[in-house]
Amino acid sequence: MIKRMIEVGYPAPRFDAKAKVTGEEKFAIDYSREGMLWAGARRAGVAHAIIRKIDISKAAALPGVYAVLTRKDVPGTNRQGIVHKDQPVLAGSRVRHCGDAVALVLAEDRDVLEKALGLIAVELEPLAGVFDPEEAMRSEAPLVHESGNLLHKAVIRVGDARGAFEECDVVVEDSLEVSAQEPAFLETQNGLAWQEPDGRITMIVSTQAPFRDRFEIAHALGLDVEAIRIVSPCLGGGFGGKDGATVQCLLALAALRARGRPVKMRWGREESFTAGYKRHPVRMRYRVGAMRDGTLHAVSCRLIYDTGPYAHLGVEVMALGMEHACGPYRVPNTLVEGWCVYTNNPISGAMRGFGVCQASFGIETMMDQLASKLGLSPLDIRLKNGLRRGDTNGAGVTLVHSTGIVACLEGLGVHRLWKDRAKWKSEAGPQKKRGVGIAAVSNAMGYGRGLPDSAIARVELTKEGKIRIYSGVPDMGQGNSSGFIQIAGQTLGQDDSHLEIIQPDTDLAHPSGSSSAGRTTYTYGNALIPACEDMKEKLLHRASLLLMLDQPCGLVLLPGKVKHLPSGREVPFELLGRMFSQTDRIAVKHFVMPVAQDNPDSAKEFRLGFPHVLFSYAAHLVYVEVDELTGKIDVKDYLALTDGGRVINPACFDQQVHGAVAQGLGYGLMEKVLTERGKILNPNFTNYIIPTSMDVPDITSVCVETVESTGPFGMKGIGEVGTNAPLPAVAAAVEDAIGRRLRRSPLTAASVLGALSGRGAAR
Amino acid sequence: MKISFTLNGKQTGVDVSADRKVVEVLREELMLTGTKEGCGAGECGACTILVDGRARLSCLMTAAQIEGRSITTIEGLSQNGGGMHPVQEAFIENGAVQCGFCTPGMVLSAVDLLDKNSDPTREQIREGLSGNLCRCSGYVKIVDAVEAAALQIRREKAR
């Protein structure tokens, strides 16, 4: 094995890269076991109905079918959900969206499974559905749940926005709308589970939240949390869509029935679209007021989140969106109102950007309109209002941590792509219009107040003398595992040949929360450092005993050994590994993320997830070229400046920025989940188009290094912030090119042509 | 039906139904799980393999179609001559690997691309890889890696 330099700050190749380029890396989907059954769900196929009868007799009689289960076979509450337990594992009396599972089949192979699913006769009595969140709020609307269609209403109030508008020199108003986005990870939802002879369930599953999954399964199926073991190999992408149970409850139910036989469940791509969680569609109404010099004075907005038939993390997504509704700006008077509404549309839930993507389009559009009305440049108005440490943000939280938005914007202002923009625009060819747009965004880190954002790191000196990290948070591709190797290597003075990492296994690691919320590396890394320091102290002390030193002085950790520098004597880790007792070889430490200490006198409706105190920031710039004949928008160049504190691995940092921009461009330009009466019309990659290598330009990623003194080696999470800026930046660039503002995403060629011909969303 | 073909340089036989998808034969009969399936409909490229040296989608091929052919999967790419293929090395060194689920297919498409054009422009690389979806990377570092691999392969040939 090549010994790699893995110092913090060095762009070391990811430790998992070799296994992934050779095909050795095993994802959940790659696991199989002798005697394995296949499980599959029969989906409702209609958006809203009463279930009259489910006839499983033909399916159950098919040779090769092991079992067919329906609602009556579900022990426990039959209710899954992360915070709100409102989603049935198997729907028994009522269907609330097309993806509801009404029966579960276990079969000897996949051909039989498919045949059996088709033989289940589901008798449904259709109900009128509700597919528009505003209609859903009317009193006469069909009810998705008996408790009403309004899942949650909340208000954030700072100062006196209503009164403050009277004092403004200019006020701009607008309505905007964003559609759902599919996470579209390449590895669809899947897992393998079996019941152990002692009755426990073991599940290898593609999940972002192994520890929480146990609670979700236990609650739904009436099991003991301790009776469930979740193993989480590297994910083939997650992006929020694997945060919360996907296959987990169905698979555990199947395993309970399979009498020790392993069961595999894999959602096909269409099922992944139909039953999976998407980014919330949001309707926004904004009003923003400023003084003549561009100083923001008041923001009011109304945000309506369509969460589909089940909450998933809808309330928390809305909370974060509302918290960011005033952008990374100083606004003394704000009134942010939000409604999270049930409909019979596909389920909305967590997705990278977590409510902030949508609100960023809102506030950034308003900032451009203000700038244009006041004759200011879009950069100047943002610089003027950009948050600085010590300011109070639009949610009433005092910023006492690293706050780098002004540094990002200043960096943008001196970059050649900003300085050369006029020249580049003037060089557009015939029938082409060019434009340049910018956006400034932030994204909070962590769970926010009300839910401790905690991790417990476990490090072990193995018998072979390796330092082993038991990760408690999955690696869905963002590279947190590599970050952990670097953090441990730095703390213990090791190269990568003496370090190994075990992906999360709830029997081996300690509860450390989910891989989400820009908190994965920050929180676990902050627990890992003291765990490694504890291990270091042990190694030095035990080596000093072996060396018969009166005082443990002059000892250092070198790769694979302890060395006594004054005498030159060495103790290899192998020796210590053999010598350590089982209890001694382990170091465990925890960390809890700081939360806001202010007590804003509003938004009390949010029990958890509001407010936050740590934020990453970014400023993006985009060059677009619009074809006047076809309306096609081509992204020609892209610049992203990101404040993520100190960087642990610059290569992984750029990976995250590039990927976030690409997903943001997909969101902005092409991705739209088309539905008709709640049924997805494009549940596949043939018709739901995500960016290919032809659609994403080269991206310049600039790291604006602040120091986050609470972060591991000064870092902050940056996985999400980059997805928030592409849509508003592209919309601004398109307006710069064609003189029309598009207010509804995605910004398709058809919408450009509509705007050019004076119809639709023209200014 | 008995199917005989060369798999990663070795003569191989399997007894499967003639219409079984090649991706399933590889993953489920031969336990070569390096070949991934992302959509099952020929849209994402994750299941790309080399058939007689050319990139093909194994989710759109049936077992009968590989009778007598030479198949290279990601597992076999690194076996040729022992070390890793320059494309694999370049993917590691250039940070072209994130979640890694698209990686085997992406690497094999790149191998095919460089076999046909040893000195592609970035635009040609983007075009050559446009059938392989990646949801993590934004493709920038993948294009960097293929550029670097092309240079390395040309250097090796010149030697």
Side-chain angles (χ1 to χ4, degrees):
Chain A
M1 189 178 186
I2 312 162
K3 288 179 189 170
R4 288 274 185 194
M5 190 170 131
I6 55 166
E7 311 256 329
V8 163
Y10 180 72
R14 292 165 61 131
F15 90 100
D16 54 353
K18 188 181 173 203
K20 287 175 175 176
V21 298
T22 55
E24 287 160 30
E25 185 72 50
K26 280 184 90 177
F27 299 83
I29 193 71
D30 299 327
Y31 285 84
S32 56
R33 286 194 128 204
E34 198 64 34
M36 191 171 81
L37 293 164
W38 287 84
R42 171 64 191 263
R43 304 285 169 186
V46 297
H48 203 193
I50 302 280
I51 301 175
R52 283 288 167 224
K53 193 178 167 195
I54 302 175
D55 182 358
I56 62 166
S57 56
K58 278 188 186 158
L62 189 70
V65 168
Y66 184 88
V68 183
L69 309 179
T70 58
R71 165 68 184 92
K72 65 179 179 1
D73 301 302
V74 184
T77 63
N78 191 37
R79 284 288 177 277
Q80 64 180 67
I82 299 167
V83 182
H84 302 259
K85 310 278 186 192
D86 59 1
Q87 182 176 358
V89 179
L90 286 177
S93 53
R94 181 91 169 267
V95 162
R96 293 188 177 86
H97 82 128
C98 293
D100 268 336
V102 297
L104 180 68
V105 176
L106 284 72
E108 296 291 339
D109 65 48
R110 272 187 291 165
D111 289 341
V112 175
L113 177 66
E114 285 310 313
K115 221 174 270 171
L117 288 170
L119 288 174
I120 297 170
V122 185
E123 210 177 289
L124 298 172
E125 180 189 323
L127 294 173
V130 59
F131 307 102
D132 179 298
E134 285 175 270
E135 278 173 27
M137 286 196 282
R138 297 203 184 110
S139 57
E140 70 278 15
L143 288 179
V144 182
H145 293 274
E146 275 79 37
S147 54
N149 292 339
L150 182 62
L151 170 61
H152 209 76
K153 157 88 203 285
V155 183
I156 298 173
R157 192 180 282 111
V158 175
D160 171 22
R162 286 204 178 108
F165 278 111
E166 305 287 323
E167 298 154 12
C168 293
D169 294 320
V170 282
V171 174
V172 289
E173 283 183 69
D174 214 341
S175 297
L176 302 115
E177 187 169 348
V178 286
S179 61
Q181 185 180 24
E182 173 75 14
F185 28 73
L186 282 189
E187 183 198 23
T188 54
Q189 299 87 335
N190 76 90
L192 173 70
W194 61 92
Q195 192 164 28
E196 306 282 0
D198 66 1
R200 293 183 85 214
I201 303 271
T202 299
M203 186 180 296
I204 302 170
V205 60
S206 193
T207 179
Q208 291 174 231
F211 286 95
R212 196 212 301 123
D213 286 348
R214 296 175 313 157
F215 288 90
E216 219 176 326
I217 296 166
H219 182 271
L221 303 182
L223 301 175
D224 183 358
V225 172
E226 294 308 316
I228 302 160
R229 173 189 181 190
I230 305 285
V231 180
S232 155
C234 284
L235 284 74
F239 316 117
K242 293 175 184 170
D243 190 6
T246 56
V247 297
Q248 286 89 328
C249 297
L250 290 166
L251 197 48
L253 178 65
L256 286 174
R257 182 59 173 257
R259 297 183 201 92
R261 286 185 68 179
V263 192
K264 193 173 181 79
M265 182 178 220
R266 183 190 81 170
W267 292 0
R269 182 55 62 187
E270 184 168 336
E271 189 173 21
S272 178
F273 268 87
T274 304
Y277 311 118
K278 299 175 202 341
R279 188 187 300 293
H280 284 74
V282 182
R283 288 193 191 148
M284 300 175 269
R285 177 78 197 159
Y286 263 86
R287 191 161 185 240
V288 177
M291 311 317 271
R292 191 156 291 114
D293 67 352
T295 304
L296 287 173
H297 193 54
V299 171
S300 76
C301 63
R302 298 159 69 84
L303 310 173
I304 299 169
Y305 284 74
D306 175 357
T307 205
Y310 305 116
H312 192 260
L313 285 169
V315 177
E316 295 68 34
V317 166
M318 179 174 84
L320 204 72
M322 289 172 65
E323 192 176 343
H324 291 72
C326 302
Y329 306 115
R330 251 182 332 274
V331 192
N333 304 286
T334 67
L335 176 64
V336 180
E337 294 171 277
W339 290 261
C340 193
V341 185
Y342 285 128
T343 65
N344 297 112
N345 286 323
I347 308 171
S348 303
M351 191 176 162
R352 191 182 202 172
F354 205 84
V356 185
C357 258
Q358 298 93 324
S360 297
F361 182 45
I363 185 67
E364 287 302 275
T365 298
M366 305 315 293
M367 291 301 282
D368 286 339
Q369 295 192 7
L370 265 185
S372 148
K373 208 159 181 178
L374 289 163
L376 291 170
S377 99
L379 177 59
D380 289 341
I381 195 165
R382 287 171 171 85
L383 273 169
K384 186 173 200 67
N385 293 287
L387 287 165
R388 293 157 194 264
R389 191 191 286 244
D391 286 341
T392 302
N393 72 11
V397 171
T398 312
L399 298 175
V400 294
H401 294 274
S402 58
T403 308
I405 188 59
V406 171
C408 289
L409 287 164
E410 285 175 352
L412 189 151
V414 297
H415 197 278
R416 79 174 160 80
L417 287 173
W418 175 252
K419 292 189 159 178
D420 294 350
R421 66 192 187 285
K423 180 169 176 292
W424 181 78
K425 285 197 289 186
S426 71
E427 291 164 356
Q431 266 104 41
K432 303 280 189 190
K433 293 273 192 192
R434 287 178 168 184
V436 176
I438 66 169
V441 293
S442 63
N443 212 107
M445 285 166 61
Y447 299 150
R449 208 149 65 189
L451 179 64
D453 191 309
S454 155
I456 308 169
R458 173 179 172 185
V459 178
E460 178 180 305
L461 177 70
T462 67
K463 285 183 179 139
E464 297 73 33
K466 300 263 188 186
I467 305 284
R468 179 183 288 167
I469 303 159
Y470 290 91
S471 173
V473 270
D475 193 327
M476 53 177 157
Q478 75 269 52
N480 51 301
S481 304
S482 276
F484 299 160
I485 295 263
Q486 282 189 270
I487 287 169
Q490 178 82 25
T491 312
L492 293 163
Q494 300 301 306
D495 58 51
D496 70 349
S497 67
H498 296 95
L499 295 163
E500 53 189 47
I501 189 159
I502 305 289
Q503 293 302 323
D505 176 333
T506 57
D507 270 11
L508 299 176
H510 294 270
S512 294
S514 51
S515 185
S516 66
R519 48 88 59 187
T520 313
T521 304
Y522 174 96
T523 306
Y524 191 86
N526 262 333
L528 184 58
I529 291 171
C532 288
E533 280 165 351
D534 192 21
M535 178 59 71
K536 179 179 178 177
E537 199 187 316
K538 281 188 195 202
L539 292 166
L540 295 180
H541 174 263
R542 308 305 184 264
S544 79
L545 297 181
L546 278 179
L547 293 170
M548 307 283 279
L549 300 176
D550 295 328
Q551 290 290 323
C553 297
L555 288 162
V556 290
L557 284 181
L558 296 177
K561 62 195 175 194
V562 179
K563 186 166 183 174
H564 184 239
L565 292 177
S567 68
R569 289 188 297 161
E570 296 177 351
V571 181
F573 283 180
E574 287 89 343
L575 181 60
L576 291 165
R578 288 197 297 274
M579 195 188 90
F580 271 38
S581 71
Q582 198 52 39
T583 46
D584 203 22
R585 67 177 69 254
I586 291 161
V588 177
K589 290 285 175 189
H590 61 257
F591 176 80
V592 184
M593 189 186 287
V595 291
Q597 298 299 319
D598 309 82
N599 263 319
D601 188 29
S602 71
K604 304 280 189 204
E605 304 89 340
F606 294 125
R607 266 193 309 119
L608 53 89
F610 178 91
H612 295 70
V613 73
L614 282 157
F615 296 85
S616 294
Y617 297 90
H620 288 195
L621 172 151
V622 64
Y623 278 19
V624 305
E625 186 169 273
V626 181
D627 187 311
E628 288 184 288
L629 298 178
T630 65
K632 187 170 185 302
I633 300 167
D634 262 331
V635 179
K636 291 296 192 184
D637 217 333
Y638 206 99
L639 168 67
L641 301 102
T642 313
D643 159 31
R646 282 295 164 99
V647 178
I648 291 187
N649 184 321
C652 289
F653 179 94
D654 288 346
Q655 287 184 336
Q656 284 294 291
V657 172
H658 293 165
V661 168
Q663 272 181 9
L665 289 174
Y667 183 54
L669 291 167
M670 59 189 84
E671 294 183 40
K672 182 164 190 174
V673 179
L674 296 167
T675 55
E676 191 178 289
R677 301 189 57 74
K679 194 174 178 68
I680 302 177
L681 301 174
N682 55 346
N684 52 58
F685 291 146
T686 314
N687 297 311
Y688 182 91
I689 306 298
I690 66 171
T692 71
S693 49
M694 305 288 283
D695 302 309
V696 185
D698 280 336
I699 298 162
T700 306
S701 165
V702 175
C703 155
V704 176
E705 281 197 307
T706 58
V707 174
E708 175 42 53
S709 51
T710 66
F713 298 103
M715 71 79 73
K716 295 190 283 192
I718 55 128
E720 308 201 51
V721 67
T723 45
N724 301 332
L727 167 59
V730 168
V734 170
E735 181 178 29
D736 189 39
I738 67 169
R740 297 281 193 281
R741 168 64 63 166
L742 302 179
R743 298 175 170 83
R744 181 184 281 218
S745 78
L747 315 180
T748 59
S751 65
V752 169
L753 288 180
L756 282 173
S757 65
R759 297 189 308 269
R763 174 181 267 174
Chain B
M1 177 184 176
K2 263 238 178 292
I3 314 266
S4 304
F5 57 103
T6 307
L7 175 62
N8 298 329
K10 280 186 202 141
Q11 196 54 40
T12 306
V14 284
D15 195 359
V16 293
S17 81
D19 62 353
R20 189 91 186 267
K21 284 179 174 183
V22 171
V23 65
E24 290 171 13
V25 174
L26 293 170
R27 289 179 53 84
E28 292 164 21
E29 301 299 323
L30 299 162
M31 307 315 282
L32 292 176
T33 54
T35 303
K36 305 302 181 195
E37 186 172 348
C39 68
E43 290 292 344
C44 78
C47 67
T48 303
I49 56 172
L50 299 180
V51 179
D52 296 332
R54 291 279 88 92
R56 293 287 177 264
L57 299 172
S58 64
C59 78
L60 293 185
M61 293 184 81
T62 59
Q65 288 176 289
I66 57 169
E67 170 68 36
R69 314 289 285 273
S70 175
I71 306 291
T72 306
T73 67
I74 194 70
E75 291 90 348
L77 192 62
S78 38
Q79 283 166 8
N80 295 342
M84 272 189 288
H85 190 280
V87 170
Q88 291 173 308
E89 297 272 11
F91 266 59
I92 296 173
E93 295 302 319
N94 288 274
V97 180
Q98 290 187 228
C99 90
F101 206 78
C102 75
T103 305
M106 196 70 85
V107 165
L108 291 169
S109 286
V111 169
D112 181 29
L113 164 72
L114 296 181
D115 189 48
K116 289 188 244 174
N117 179 359
S118 62
D119 192 8
T121 62
R122 284 182 80 82
E123 218 33 53
Q124 287 169 327
I125 294 170
R126 287 180 178 283
E127 212 175 307
L129 299 180
S130 61
N132 291 76
L133 295 177
C134 170
R135 190 57 155 169
C136 297
S137 72
Y139 305 100
V140 180
K141 285 173 184 283
I142 292 173
V143 178
D144 291 347
V146 178
E147 246 184 343
L151 185 63
Q152 181 61 25
I153 292 169
R154 290 199 305 277
R155 276 191 188 143
E156 280 172 16
K157 280 194 181 144
R159 217 173 270 152

